[in-house]
Amino acid sequence: MSRSQGKWNGWSIAILILIVIGVWFSITTNPLGFILPVVILGAIFLLYKYPPSFLQGYRRTGPGQARVKQGRSSSAGKPKTTRPRSKTAPFRVIEGGKDDNDMPKYH
């Protein structure tokens, strides 16, 4: 007999029923203890999803385009000079001093 991954077994149903009973009991005995975290998490999610204009700091230029930082720039009219980020150095191989025979077989 093989088990199917999509089926509900007795343990899953029992745990789900206990969770529902616990949440219901929590809501009926102390509703503020349940509603307050839900409201706070909902407000955080809404602020994350739809931030107010004073918190954004970035404006969208269009669909699929990168965001552009709003603000003043001292070099707004100056063209940037292209220069390499760093000097290219030749690759050198340094010979190691370890012997492979000293390593244990389990490493």
Side-chain angles (χ1 to χ4, degrees):
M1 203 180 207
S2 67
R3 285 188 164 187
S4 178
Q5 294 289 359
K7 299 283 183 181
W8 288 86
N9 59 13
W11 288 107
S12 299
I13 294 172
I15 290 176
L16 184 65
I17 289 172
L18 288 174
I19 289 173
V20 168
I21 291 172
V23 168
W24 178 256
F25 184 75
S26 165
I27 291 173
T28 57
T29 58
N30 187 9
L32 189 63
F34 185 77
I35 293 173
L36 189 64
V38 170
V39 168
I40 291 173
L41 289 176
I44 290 172
F45 175 75
L46 286 176
L47 285 173
Y48 176 74
K49 192 71 175 169
Y50 307 106
S53 61
F54 68 90
L55 289 178
Q56 280 184 346
Y58 292 96
R59 63 177 170 88
R60 292 181 188 238
T61 56
Q65 295 179 352
R67 292 182 175 187
V68 178
K69 177 81 173 151
Q70 291 178 341
R72 295 182 216 155
S73 177
S74 62
S75 63
K78 298 178 187 176
K80 290 188 177 182
T81 59
T82 58
R83 61 183 175 117
R85 290 183 177 225
S86 64
K87 294 197 295 189
T88 57
F91 182 77
R92 292 183 288 164
V93 176
I94 301 172
E95 293 294 328
K98 287 189 174 182
D99 187 18
D100 287 338
N101 294 335
D102 290 341
M103 296 296 287
K105 291 185 179 183
Y106 56 84
H107 267 123

